[in-house]
Amino acid sequence: MNREEKAAFSTEFWRYLWSSILIALSGCLGNVVDGIIVGNLIGEDGVSAINLSKPVVQLMFTLSILVETGAGMLVGFALGKKDMVRLRYLYTQSMIGCFLIGLAFTMIGLFWSEGATALLCDNEHLFQPTLEYLRPMLWGGPAYLMMWAISTMVGVDGSPRLVSIAILIDNAVNLMLDVVFIKYFGWGIAGSSAATIVGHLVGIVLMFWHFHYKTNHLRFSFKHETPEWVNILSQGAPMAVASVCLTLLLFSANNVILSTAGRNGIFIFAVCMNLLQIYNLFLAGTCRTLQSLGAIQVGKGDDEAFHLVLRNSFGFISVSMAITCVLVWIFPQFVAELFGASTPEVLKESNHALRVFALSFVPFCYIYAVMVVYKLYNCHKMAMFISFALSLTVIPVLWIIAKAAPDYLWYSYLIAYIIEILAIVALHKIGHLQFSLS
């Protein structure tokens, strides 16, 4: 690759990255501003109810990842080889799969929403707002999964700008309807989840309309020689496992923190999880670019271009995380007040927790990005190990600290991620040693 080719490829990389960042930004703003609106219109219990419901949202996201991430990587490989028949078949299978999974969540919302809420929250003050938020969200299961699926496919197919525009419109609709449904319709916390569903439906319609009437790549097709579900699920498994573990972590952390630190503690934890959305803005954008462009270069067999993607990705994520961490350390009270924190006790504890979590999320982002790299290198065992360790290590650490040293509860994530990094480095070296000995 000569200098001109490197410059052209770098331009392509940054085009993908900034479009992916914009996609993640709109999603991040939607979640964060949603929490700010709820905190100011409903109060701290509303913010807590959203956080208590997050394990269900994360579970839907997990099942979507299992299908759309696996299919997205295979579509990237097919696109690199210009295999349009396989590309369209994979697209069809992923969309149908996500719709059917979403329909299962709708059934849960119709017939078992109170039982699902009881699993998430045993606090009598928070049960009702959690139920009111969770029920419409379950009803809209197909919209959640289809939005993530179609955005992945459209992005891999070479139109990340369309995805970013659709998601911006999605979140604009969501945030406007938040105020309308909560303040003027009087729907309370249920209005927040209803607004999210309507926003997703708008985004889905925009992307479906464009790609089914304006382009030739993404079309529904059942023509293919062999089934692809095993390939789809195996490709998506490491990231889906990481998301499953994160679901378990959210569920466990909510229960441990609610029982250890009470209503104030779960509100502070909710604010910290919203801080994670800011980190996820850069992480998701980088990983989406890494997956899309990386898979295409692997399909082409262009190692030099693939290594350039890796260098640019890790360089960007390092700078962005450093800036975010410094800003949170300087302005933690501003972040807490945005979500409705007002009492001196809550503000003081929020400032401390936010600073600790600002550091904790840095190793988390590196670990997640490294998992994607191992997957692209076809190091499936290491990718799967990281998927499990990424969240499951936190659960025992959180439980031990809650029992033995509750004053240091907020340090659980940081300690767990440091342990994970040491384990990954050790296993990586052992793997290289075994390879050289063989």
Side-chain angles (χ1 to χ4, degrees):
M1 185 182 288
N2 58 39
R3 184 176 296 178
E4 290 76 15
E5 289 172 333
K6 284 185 178 179
F9 186 79
S10 291
T11 301
E12 180 72 1
F13 171 85
W14 292 109
R15 184 179 74 86
Y16 259 87
L17 178 64
W18 289 117
S19 295
S20 298
I21 291 291
L22 190 57
I23 292 167
L25 175 62
S26 58
C28 165
L29 287 178
N31 290 324
V32 173
V33 178
D34 202 32
I36 292 171
I37 292 172
V38 168
N40 285 275
L41 293 181
I42 296 176
E44 293 178 1
D45 284 353
V47 177
S48 299
I50 293 176
N51 200 65
L52 289 167
S53 301
K54 276 184 178 178
V56 174
V57 178
Q58 188 64 35
L59 179 59
M60 287 194 282
F61 183 58
T62 296
L63 295 173
S64 172
I65 281 178
L66 184 61
V67 178
E68 53 94 3
T69 300
M73 292 184 79
L74 292 174
V75 164
F77 297 150
L79 195 60
K81 296 177 181 178
K82 299 183 179 179
D83 186 350
M84 293 299 108
V85 173
R86 190 184 187 206
L87 184 153
R88 290 171 182 169
Y89 179 78
L90 289 165
Y91 167 68
T92 303
Q93 296 300 297
S94 66
M95 298 309 298
I96 291 174
C98 284
F99 176 77
L100 292 176
I101 295 169
L103 202 59
F105 281 97
T106 301
M107 295 299 104
I108 293 172
L110 289 172
F111 301 108
W112 197 60
S113 56
E114 290 192 8
T117 306
L119 290 175
L120 300 171
C121 176
D122 60 0
N123 184 287
E124 60 179 343
H125 297 287
L126 296 174
F127 181 87
Q128 191 59 34
T130 304
L131 172 63
E132 291 174 5
Y133 182 82
L134 183 63
R135 186 179 282 146
M137 182 178 64
L138 289 169
W139 293 344
Y144 272 89
L145 276 91
M146 295 287 284
M147 184 63 185
W148 290 320
I150 187 66
S151 64
T152 296
M153 290 298 164
V154 172
V156 172
D157 193 52
S159 295
R161 185 171 177 271
L162 171 63
V163 178
S164 61
I165 292 170
I167 295 182
L168 281 172
I169 294 172
D170 169 344
N171 282 282
V173 171
N174 174 17
L175 297 177
M176 287 189 293
L177 290 181
D178 261 344
V179 178
V180 172
F181 289 166
I182 294 172
K183 187 173 182 180
Y184 297 105
F185 283 23
W187 290 0
I189 191 68
S192 177
S193 53
T196 302
I197 293 164
V198 175
H200 285 347
L201 290 172
V202 171
I204 290 167
V205 169
L206 286 172
M207 284 186 282
F208 263 121
W209 176 82
H210 181 87
F211 264 82
H212 282 270
Y213 292 97
K214 298 292 184 181
T215 72
N216 294 316
H217 285 175
L218 295 181
R219 289 281 189 275
F220 285 113
S221 172
F222 295 93
K223 295 179 181 179
H224 200 256
E225 294 178 359
T226 57
E228 290 277 6
W229 273 112
V230 173
N231 290 332
I232 290 172
L233 298 180
S234 64
Q235 286 290 336
M239 296 187 72
V241 168
S243 191
V244 167
C245 295
L246 185 56
T247 303
L248 292 173
L249 173 58
L250 284 170
F251 177 76
S252 302
N254 280 338
N255 281 278
V256 170
I257 291 169
L258 189 58
S259 61
T260 305
R263 289 168 69 186
N264 285 349
I266 200 67
F267 168 74
I268 293 166
F269 182 59
V271 176
C272 291
M273 289 300 100
N274 276 283
L275 171 63
L276 176 58
Q277 296 293 328
I278 306 300
Y279 284 81
N280 192 55
L281 154 67
F282 304 113
L283 178 64
T286 304
C287 287
R288 182 184 287 263
T289 303
L290 184 56
Q291 284 176 221
S292 299
L293 283 183
I296 291 171
Q297 304 317 312
V298 170
K300 291 179 179 178
D302 191 339
D303 289 340
E304 188 176 359
F306 180 62
H307 292 151
L308 185 58
V309 171
L310 292 181
R311 287 196 299 272
N312 287 344
S313 296
F314 278 90
F316 174 79
I317 203 171
S318 298
V319 172
S320 59
M321 285 190 303
I323 293 171
T324 304
C325 193
V326 169
L327 289 175
V328 173
W329 268 75
I330 296 173
F331 304 110
Q333 184 166 322
F334 173 74
V335 175
E337 288 175 341
L338 276 177
F339 291 90
S342 56
T343 63
E345 179 186 0
V346 171
L347 283 171
K348 181 180 178 181
E349 190 65 18
S350 295
N351 291 347
H352 172 64
L354 283 165
R355 284 177 170 146
V356 174
F357 272 93
L359 289 175
S360 304
F361 293 145
V362 172
F364 167 81
C365 291
Y366 277 122
I367 293 169
Y368 197 94
V370 165
M371 180 187 66
V372 176
V373 175
Y374 274 118
K375 185 61 185 175
L376 288 169
Y377 271 114
N378 288 320
C379 298
H380 301 298
K381 290 182 180 179
M382 277 297 293
M384 191 63 72
F385 168 76
I386 295 172
S387 297
F388 279 106
L390 193 60
S391 298
L392 293 186
T393 308
V394 181
I395 296 174
V397 172
L398 184 67
W399 185 84
I400 291 169
I401 292 179
K403 296 295 183 183
D407 289 343
Y408 296 92
L409 187 65
W410 305 125
Y411 290 89
S412 303
Y413 280 69
L414 181 59
I415 294 169
Y417 293 143
I418 291 172
I419 293 171
E420 289 169 29
I421 289 174
L422 294 174
I424 291 167
V425 170
L427 288 173
H428 183 84
K429 288 185 176 181
I430 291 170
H432 270 283
L433 178 61
Q434 289 176 346
F435 179 76
S436 11
L437 289 174
S438 63

